[in-house]
Amino acid sequence: MLTLDFINVGNGDSILIRELDNNTQTFAMLVDCGHDNLIRDDHPRPPDPRSKRLYAGDFLKKHHITHLDLVLLTHFHRDHIGSLGRVLDAALVDRLLTSYLPPAENGPLDPDGDNGLPKAARNLLRCIDLYARQLREHPGRIAEAVELPCQTAETFQLTPDLRMDIIPGEPALYPRQKMVYDAAFRGERNRYDLMRWGKCMNISSLRQRLYYHGKEIVLGGDMYAAVWDNDTLAPCDILKVPHHASLASTTRKLLDLLRPTTAVICEASDRPDDRPHPYIVSLIKSFVPDVRFTDAVSIPGLVEPEYHESVHIEIV
């Protein structure tokens, strides 16, 4: 049996995928780790006492998961890598897959120091600094870290029954990403490079398609819908909606090609920036019979809040 837990980390993505044999875990993979804060620091609100948000690391501890075969990071926004350290506190990891690894000897980037950079550049440095610091502070917790070339789709036979394709964005993006990040770790502060790359981070997000017992699961990362238009897309059974169901995340064409029977939207309730966007939620509901939300989102007349720690799906 394959179980999927789209963990309610509030703002961000963290998806636990496990293969079980008579309730014994035989394989476990985590795709992204969620934000470093359950309540976003840029729009704090009093916590809802009914909320069941929790950090991905705490979800692992609660379910006594101390070993992960694989952790995959789709990209480096805080809501995807912010709780990597908590995950490493909870579990040993055999292999980390990522589109970028910081240099072996790297120090703090000091994103909020007196560097004269605009907000967008500082935000980018803050994300990469957080990512690198969590790796530095957890030596020995990852057996192997792999920087993927991201020039073509790659296939991984994870278990005899479970296969995964990792699908990158435009191949030219990843050498550019490496150039910008490596320069930052060398102490260079090119404001234009940092700002431009900050706008490219979502379209460098890695996507996954999983195959298990005739079922197909597509995890969309934060890739905008327009980028998918160049792909040949086969129907799937389960879709993790890209980019928290923002206005740019999904189109009628994308849904018509994928035709999932279940769609999961990873989101934080009460966000002020229309993620999920009511129009996109309505569009998804017109195509998909089963639409689920990680957090207790409320859209009057469209979505009633549900309070749970994860969207849990089982495939036999």
Side-chain angles (χ1 to χ4, degrees), residues 99-272:
S99 63
Y100 176 76
L101 283 172
E105 299 297 329
N106 67 80
L109 294 179
D110 192 22
D112 297 309
D114 185 17
N115 53 30
L117 293 174
K119 180 180 177 180
R122 289 175 184 259
N123 284 343
L124 178 64
L125 288 178
R126 195 176 293 120
C127 292
I128 301 306
D129 184 62
L130 176 60
Y131 169 46
R133 173 164 55 82
Q134 292 175 103
L135 293 177
R136 286 197 309 272
E137 292 177 352
H138 292 83
R141 301 295 289 178
I142 300 171
E144 180 187 18
V146 179
E147 184 177 288
L148 298 167
C150 299
Q151 296 304 292
T152 60
E154 294 192 52
T155 298
F156 296 82
Q157 191 69 46
L158 302 174
T159 75
D161 294 322
L162 178 62
R163 188 171 90 251
M164 173 176 67
D165 293 339
I166 297 180
I167 306 157
E170 167 59 43
L173 288 169
Y174 303 95
R176 180 70 177 172
Q177 172 180 258
K178 184 172 181 61
M179 183 192 78
V180 172
Y181 293 165
D182 282 353
F185 283 110
R186 290 195 302 269
E188 300 172 20
R189 296 289 184 269
N190 186 313
R191 61 190 290 150
Y192 300 106
D193 282 347
L194 292 169
M195 290 174 64
R196 280 195 294 264
W197 183 255
K199 297 180 183 296
C200 294
M201 201 184 295
N202 281 335
I203 61 170
S204 69
S205 179
L206 302 176
R207 293 164 287 169
Q208 299 81 51
R209 184 180 279 259
L210 301 166
Y211 308 84
Y212 184 81
H213 289 187
K215 300 292 186 180
E216 299 191 17
I217 304 132
V218 171
L219 306 179
D222 273 3
M223 185 69 78
Y224 300 134
V227 179
W228 301 62
D229 287 348
N230 297 322
D231 298 336
T232 301
L233 299 174
C236 66
D237 299 279
I238 299 168
L239 170 66
K240 199 290 291 188
V241 175
H243 200 231
H244 322 294
S246 68
L247 191 57
S249 70
T250 310
T251 60
R252 186 175 298 275
K253 177 181 177 180
L254 177 60
L255 292 169
D256 192 44
L257 289 171
L258 289 176
R259 289 280 172 179
T261 54
T262 298
V264 181
I265 298 173
C266 297
E267 43 65 44
S269 61
D270 298 322
R271 282 185 63 153

Side-chain angles (χ1 to χ4, degrees), residues 41-148:
D41 49 12
D42 57 351
H43 49 81
R45 297 173 60 94
D48 185 334
R50 297 167 295 178
S51 175
K52 294 188 177 181
R53 291 183 191 179
L54 75 174
Y55 293 106
D58 290 340
F59 186 90
L60 297 178
K61 290 177 182 178
K62 186 169 184 175
H63 292 272
H64 309 291
I65 298 168
T66 59
H67 170 258
L68 294 168
D69 297 271
L70 187 62
V71 170
L72 171 61
L73 302 178
T74 61
H75 64 298
F76 305 106
H77 276 136
R78 284 174 66 192
D79 59 329
H80 292 256
I81 55 87
S83 277
L84 174 60
R86 292 177 183 269
V87 167
L88 296 178
D89 286 337
L92 290 170
V93 175
D94 282 351
R95 187 163 47 155
L96 173 73
L97 296 182
T98 175
S99 63
Y100 176 76
L101 283 172
E105 299 297 329
N106 67 80
L109 294 179
D110 192 22
D112 297 309
D114 185 17
N115 53 30
L117 293 174
K119 180 180 177 180
R122 289 175 184 259
N123 284 343
L124 178 64
L125 288 178
R126 195 176 293 120
C127 292
I128 301 306
D129 184 62
L130 176 60
Y131 169 46
R133 173 164 55 82
Q134 292 175 103
L135 293 177
R136 286 197 309 272
E137 292 177 352
H138 292 83
R141 301 295 289 178
I142 300 171
E144 180 187 18
V146 179
E147 184 177 288
L148 298 167

Side-chain angles (χ1 to χ4, degrees), residues 21-42:
D21 184 7
N22 292 324
N23 293 320
T24 299
Q25 176 179 299
T26 57
F27 174 83
M29 172 175 71
L30 190 69
V31 178
D32 288 330
C33 304
H35 205 283
D36 56 311
N37 197 329
L38 293 179
I39 301 174
R40 281 179 55 140
D41 49 12
D42 57 351

